[in-house]
Amino acid sequence: MQSVLCVFILLCLFQNSLASRISMISNGLKGCRLGAAMKPPLIIVVVVAVLTATRLKSATAAASSRDIVKTYSDPSVQLFNHLVIDKNTGRVYIGAVNKLYQLSPDLDLVATEKTGPELDADECSVLECTSTVNKQLTNNVNKALVIDYTTSRLISCGSLFQGICSVRNLHNISDGVVQVREAVVANNATASTVAFIAPGPPNPPVTQVMYVGVTFTLGSPYRSEVPAVSSRSLEKDRMFAIAQTAVTTGTRMFVNSLARERYPITYVYGFASEGFSYFLTTQMRHTTSSQFISKLVRVCHDDENYYSYTEIPIDCISEAQGGRKYNLVQAAYVGKAGSDLASDLGITAQDDVLFAVFSESDPANSNKPSNLSALCVYSLKAIRRKFMQNIKYCFSGNGQRGLDFISPSLTCVSTVSQPVKFECYLPPNNLPSAPASGRSNNSNQKLHTCTSFSVSYLEA
Ligand SMILES: *[C@@H]1O[C@H](CO)[C@@H](O)[C@H](O)[C@H]1NC(C)=O
Ligand SMILES: *[C@@H]1O[C@H](CO)[C@@H](O)[C@H](O)[C@H]1NC(C)=O
Ligand SMILES: *[C@@H]1O[C@H](CO)[C@@H](O)[C@H](O)[C@H]1NC(C)=O
Ligand SMILES: *[C@@H]1O[C@H](CO)[C@@H](O)[C@H](O)[C@H]1NC(C)=O
């Protein structure tokens, strides 16, 4: 229940443009992923109270009963995994283990769909399973729940059958269900998946695609075919196919076969802003065993080959706590700044701002969060500037391309004539199949009182 509240509090935060009043919150915002800490019976709480920064601490500890206007619970399921609200109708959709729910804006149950358990095995391909395979009754854990507003459809993806998705009518999730046999999301209960819809090939911003980030899972011969990051078509006859493909390129990115088993990437959040799609991840600093850090991954919307695939590390450092570094991003939200925060960050109230909750590794060098957390705020303008600096640096012949877990890192080569929108092109003179990267050596750049943001092109 607490984790549901977190989500609402983040929303309230940005609506109130708290700016300088946001300071370190050292307790209580842990594990904001929806459903992470829920125990039966499951309860969704709608918080209508307008929270202020000073009340945040107590509000996270417990929502007082007067803040709760309506609840919905289902004691028969183990976990609610995802929740989306239709911005036009206010309808609420919930993806759970073995169930999907459609609720009215007042949280009255309209429809329930059973999605599992079903007989499945890692050795089964997305299309077939021979009778010799020992299949087990397996839970279907909801891994992605997305509204496609262009066609008024609900896309839900589950862990069964190599992680396939179905498409449903927004008016009635039991109506016109189409299941597409394409491996899209993670195929077990815990491996991460992030999915969102934004402009993409073939004709952005007119055409929309589904951006998907997926953790590689072991144990199945078919997972090597599922990209770590991809843009998937939403066209009716090509549903969930990779939006654009060529022999070695296309709108997909794989972690290479040497690295993927020992270099786990956790996808935490995804969003689009001003011509780019971004993922927030946690991953190791090096491909050899090392500390986990948080990174922003970015691709250009009009890049049909992911040449623009770039990563930069993102830090959340508490100066008040003597430079304490909160290294693991746990949850995030992109919204508009509002006037107070905007003036603090030197942007306009209409500019995008990234709110992200971080935790520290516990134990050190693990990907497990401690019970301490912090909220950091970044303007997308500053993020874009940092990506641009890095890419420009490489186009000028400095540093390494980095990202050796994707393809061997190459030295950046200077180009005299830089393309106009160079962020969307492959850095100079490199193999066309290799992506651009962001690796760095720059010192921390301060963006906000509670925020540091460090990136560089070279491996520090
Ligand atoms: C939703 O669709 C199903 C299947 O077509 C139908 O049985 C059910 O009555 C519909 N529910 C509503 C609320 O319209
Ligand atoms: C899911 O897959 C990952 C990567 O192979 C593995 O570490 C994790 O234990 C798996 N989770 C479950 C519940 O099997
Ligand atoms: C947080 O973790 C520390 C060390 O693991 C422990 O001493 C402390 O009691 C924990 N605090 C809470 C509120 O759980
Ligand atoms: C990183 O930057 C510092 C200061 O600009 C420089 O002295 C150092 O050589 C750089 N490191 C690498 C690996 O380029």
Side-chain angles (χ1 to χ4, degrees):
M1 194 172 93
Q2 196 177 2
S3 43
V4 181
L5 276 172
C6 283
V7 172
F8 284 101
I9 287 155
L10 283 177
L11 290 175
C12 292
L13 260 180
F14 93 88
Q15 282 163 356
N16 285 304
S17 60
L18 294 168
S20 54
R21 280 168 286 150
I22 297 176
S23 59
M24 301 303 294
I25 299 157
S26 57
N27 229 322
L29 269 175
K30 184 182 169 246
C32 272
R33 257 171 283 177
L34 190 59
M38 281 193 282
K39 292 192 175 67
L42 297 171
I43 300 174
I44 287 184
V45 183
V46 176
V47 181
V48 290
V50 178
L51 298 168
T52 64
T54 47
R55 282 178 57 204
L56 256 182
K57 231 173 180 164
S58 55
T60 51
S64 68
S65 55
R66 71 193 153 84
D67 293 337
I68 300 169
V69 292
K70 196 77 185 269
T71 66
Y72 173 77
S73 61
D74 183 350
S76 74
V77 302
Q78 299 161 13
L79 201 64
F80 288 165
N81 303 95
H82 294 102
L83 176 148
V84 289
I85 299 171
D86 186 326
K87 66 183 178 194
N88 302 319
T89 63
R91 287 190 190 112
V92 177
Y93 305 91
I94 303 164
V97 176
N98 298 328
K99 274 189 182 174
L100 278 179
Y101 306 82
Q102 176 182 342
L103 309 183
S104 72
D106 296 326
L107 301 189
D108 294 319
L109 185 66
V110 176
T112 313
E113 280 281 278
K114 190 169 173 287
T115 58
E118 292 201 48
L119 288 172
D120 192 20
D122 276 353
E123 301 80 52
C124 299
S125 83
V126 75
L127 293 173
E128 58 183 5
C129 204
T130 59
S131 52
T132 53
V133 172
N134 179 20
K135 284 173 273 187
Q136 306 277 335
L137 205 55
T138 311
N139 283 338
N140 197 359
V141 179
N142 183 262
K143 305 302 282 186
L145 192 65
V146 181
I147 293 176
D148 181 5
Y149 287 103
T150 317
T151 53
S152 294
R153 295 173 300 183
L154 180 73
I155 295 169
S156 74
C157 310
S159 55
L160 276 182
F161 311 130
Q162 299 293 345
I164 61 171
C165 301
S166 59
V167 181
R168 295 156 190 278
N169 195 327
L170 275 184
H171 303 285
N172 180 348
I173 59 165
S174 307
D175 208 29
V177 185
V178 178
Q179 201 179 60
V180 181
R181 289 274 169 173
E182 178 93 41
V184 177
V185 297
N187 63 332
N188 79 21
T190 51
S192 78
T193 298
V194 165
F196 62 97
I197 294 176
N203 187 26
V206 178
T207 47
Q208 304 265 313
V209 298
M210 185 163 83
Y211 289 85
V212 189
V214 184
T215 299
F216 178 76
T217 51
L218 298 164
S220 163
Y222 301 102
R223 298 311 291 179
S224 59
E225 292 154 31
V226 181
V229 177
S230 59
S231 311
R232 304 224 172 221
S233 176
L234 295 172
E235 284 164 27
K236 210 167 180 182
D237 52 342
R238 306 191 57 232
M239 206 66 196
F240 305 130
I242 303 296
Q244 205 86 167
T245 54
V247 178
T248 56
T249 62
T251 56
R252 59 187 163 186
M253 183 59 63
F254 294 92
V255 176
N256 73 53
S257 57
L258 296 172
R260 68 189 172 214
E261 294 187 9
R262 57 190 161 83
Y263 192 78
I265 303 175
T266 303
Y267 293 85
V268 175
Y269 180 63
F271 61 96
S273 176
E274 299 200 29
F276 298 96
S277 281
Y278 298 81
F279 290 93
L280 266 169
T281 69
T282 60
Q283 55 199 83
M284 288 185 297
R285 191 183 288 283
H286 309 284
T287 39
T288 50
S289 180
S290 51
Q291 199 200 10
F292 276 85
I293 58 169
S294 300
K295 279 186 149 187
L296 267 167
V297 170
R298 188 179 83 166
V299 290
C300 202
H301 284 170
D302 52 18
D303 175 2
E304 297 183 348
N305 292 301
Y306 272 21
Y307 289 155
S308 61
Y309 181 100
T310 312
E311 299 185 359
I312 61 173
I314 179 166
D315 280 347
C316 180
I317 291 171
S318 167
E319 279 146 28
Q321 293 172 309
R324 190 170 198 151
K325 204 163 174 178
Y326 291 81
N327 59 315
L328 299 176
V329 66
Q330 299 296 302
Y333 189 82
V334 163
K336 300 295 174 191
S339 53
D340 290 1
L341 183 55
S343 70
D344 236 54
L345 294 172
I347 55 175
T348 76
Q350 281 72 48
D351 285 338
D352 284 338
V353 170
L354 172 67
F355 301 90
V357 176
F358 292 76
S359 189
E360 290 174 294
S361 287
D362 184 24
N365 281 12
S366 78
N367 199 16
K368 292 203 174 65
S370 73
N371 60 10
L372 295 178
S373 54
L375 175 65
C376 275
V377 184
Y378 311 82
S379 87
L380 260 293
K381 202 172 148 190
I383 290 172
R384 275 194 303 278
R385 198 186 307 127
K386 206 68 209 174
F387 270 103
M388 197 177 73
Q389 280 172 5
N390 279 359
I391 297 167
K392 228 175 185 159
Y393 190 69
C394 185
F395 266 100
S396 309
N398 301 306
Q400 291 275 323
R401 296 255 306 276
L403 305 189
D404 54 351
F405 52 92
I406 294 172
S407 56
S409 177
L410 297 167
T411 304
C412 293
V413 176
S414 173
T415 20
V416 182
S417 57
Q418 298 188 351
V420 177
K421 202 181 171 194
F422 63 89
E423 296 107 307
C424 297
Y425 290 90
L426 190 69
N429 273 2
N430 284 317
L431 298 171
S433 61
S437 84
R439 269 302 161 96
S440 66
N441 178 29
N442 299 355
S443 53
N444 289 350
Q445 183 196 340
K446 223 164 93 180
L447 290 181
H448 192 243
T449 42
C450 76
T451 309
S452 294
F453 186 70
S454 82
V455 286
S456 48
Y457 229 91
L458 300 170
E459 187 60 71

